[in-house]
Amino acid sequence: MCLHIMRLRPAPTLPETTPAANAAAAAASLIMSSETCIILRKELIHLGCIIPPHFILTDIASVTAFQAAITSTSQQSQNSMIATLFDTVTISIYFNAATMLLLRPQLYLTSCLPIDHPVLLSNPDNITHLLSTLSSSITAARCITYINSWILHHTAESTNPTPLRHKIWHEHLFSSFPLFEAALVLWFATCRTRLFWWSAGEIAGGPLCMGLAERRRVRGEVLDVLRTLRELTPLFAMVAPLVVCVEGFVADMERVEETLARGVDLLQGVGRTEDFVEELVIALKTVVVGTTGDDIEYHVEEPWCFLGLLGQEVDGAGVRMMWNSSNEAGWKVFWGQFDG
């Protein structure tokens, strides 16, 4: 549906293959046809089928219904539902995070492959596959951000001395990693995915409708994630690098919105900015035990998260951000096969 742009052009002929093109096609096939990922994806879908429905939220409709059910109950009833609420929120965010993690390398192909790439022209099934990947990734990410935004804003209006978000996020600090993954996926989809993958306009609705107004709503959800992560930083130092990175996501998303408001070529994309004054490697700085005062020593390590940026860079406000990990350089070389 969103590849309606292709119908505006004459049927393209496949370009002559080159060693570089063959390498890119092989790389794309490796990502989309990974037997390990296919098996894990089937296992995850099966797991989702056997978890009781009231414990798992896998689409926006189920999240909305869940929120309405909680909001419509009395304060006393809400307090009695806290245990079930914890289970539902925790299972849902980790299940959706697992979906995003399995699909993220495939999601990156929506940035790597131009509309006339042989990988897309030679096999229409690859187009359908990547559309499904994009849709599933967006849906999983927004399930998490919807939950977070509801917890954040619902409890902000509560008179309870211990807000619900403190009971949930503060007692489940590792939930910061699914929150970060959701923010990362939404940043990538809105800032790196080529525009021809999206549906035109927002009338039809659905995860593949990403007009300017919807992009602003998505950025608002990522801002809510940023607010939650900032609240968790004093309790869990491992969150600090994630905060810096999500700040970069938000700045990049706002830049893309401004670019789209000016108008861009749908076949090209929004592009990367070269307007940055420094590079920043996002890392975790730890103190060596037993060193103090003038003799204090630090180690710079890889930040805690699920997968890092997998070779991508974030165009923050005047800063180009990279992830400190031994795997990042290899992933950057891998994606570089699609250049040119």
Side-chain angles (χ1 to χ4, degrees), residues 172-192:
H172 297 79
L173 295 174
F174 281 86
S175 295
S176 55
F177 301 136
L179 289 172
F180 176 73
E181 183 67 22
L184 192 160
V185 164
L186 292 177
W187 158 75
F188 188 89
T190 56
C191 294
R192 296 292 182 270

Side-chain angles (χ1 to χ4, degrees), residues 67-84:
Q67 294 168 353
I70 297 295
T71 305
S72 62
T73 61
S74 65
Q75 184 63 55
Q76 184 177 0
S77 298
Q78 286 184 25
N79 292 336
S80 66
M81 295 172 64
I82 289 297
T84 301

